[in-house]
Amino acid sequence: MTEKIPSGTTGSSPELTSMTLESQRTDIADAPATRAVTADPQITAAKSQGQLVRERFFRHKGAIVGLSGLVFIVLLAFTSIGLSVGPLRIPGWWPHTFSTVMPLEDGGAPTLSWTGLGNHPFGQDTLGRDYFAMTMRGAQISLTIAFIVGIVGTVVGTVVGALAGYFRGFIETVLMRFTDVIITIPLLVVAAVLASIVSDYGIVVFAIFLGLLTWTGLARIVRGEFLSLREKEFVEAAKSVGASSGRIIFKHILPNTVGVIIVSATLAISGAILLETALSFLGLGVQPPDTSLGKLINENRAAMTTRPWLFFWPGIFIVAIALTVNFIGDGLRDAFDPRQTRNKQ
């Protein structure tokens, strides 16, 4: 304790002042320490499911390669020759169009080299049209068809599977027996018949009809997910408070199946590329004056031995698009997998 100065004593001596300061320091040292609470650097905030999915996806090397490749192909296809939608035309940076006929240069051989693109990097076809512009137009059409098919097939498959898995009974029987009938019919045969009927109405109608044929696999997957999730406690709790069937389906169960749906959608896009290629190769897909990657291969398959670049370039783009989409789907599957306990290196 601080020693008191005797009454009647005025002033202070150096010895008394020193004793007082030392006693005060001792009192402070003996008092309870009040330290500011600092955050432990090892303690981090909990991450949401979306953050975990993004981290897993962007750590998946194959998915990043696939995503980068697909973005590059899309940008190259849609910026090089521009975009034509009916009367609307947005010009691109490439000087030639896919329909302009020009004199053959050097026998139509490709001018692409290590020093530059040249005037016709992919060569020219037998009519003198620039094959780079034709390949880019084919990539535009094939990508457009593939994404429309993927979206339509995903929507239809999700709706059919969700209704069958949640309501069960008569609705499930009707929907799943119809799905079984569609599965038993060869897809390529049905697509060829419908393509011959609707291909003259444009690529959008053509793609929608293809999408209406490719939903069966996703419907069975979504139905299985709904059959499992409809018995969970959170669904019973929602029913107990009077939630409607629509709210339970769209607000409670469907968000828990979004991973499966997204992965299936990417695989559907990849399959649609190959389906469109097969139909166009048979002459039942995109009709003149437009073109697609499969149609380019079909038109130039006879030149495989004499002018192989006419067959080579569309084939490369078909394989590249299918592979990149598959890589993205593989990364999404791993990212949405709840059993993933660590990020892929």
Side-chain angles (χ1 to χ4, degrees), residues 17 30-31 80 85 164 172 252 266 275 282 312 327-328 337 341:
T17 303
D30 292 338
S80 57
V85 181
E172 180 188 19
H252 298 282
T266 58
L275 178 61
L282 296 174
F312 181 69
F327 286 155
I328 294 172
D337 189 355
T341 57

Side-chain angles (χ1 to χ4, degrees), residues 6 22 77 85 124 143 153 190 260-261 272 293 313-315:
E22 184 65 27
V85 181
Q124 295 173 273
L143 286 168
V190 179
V260 174
I261 294 172
L293 295 176
W313 290 112

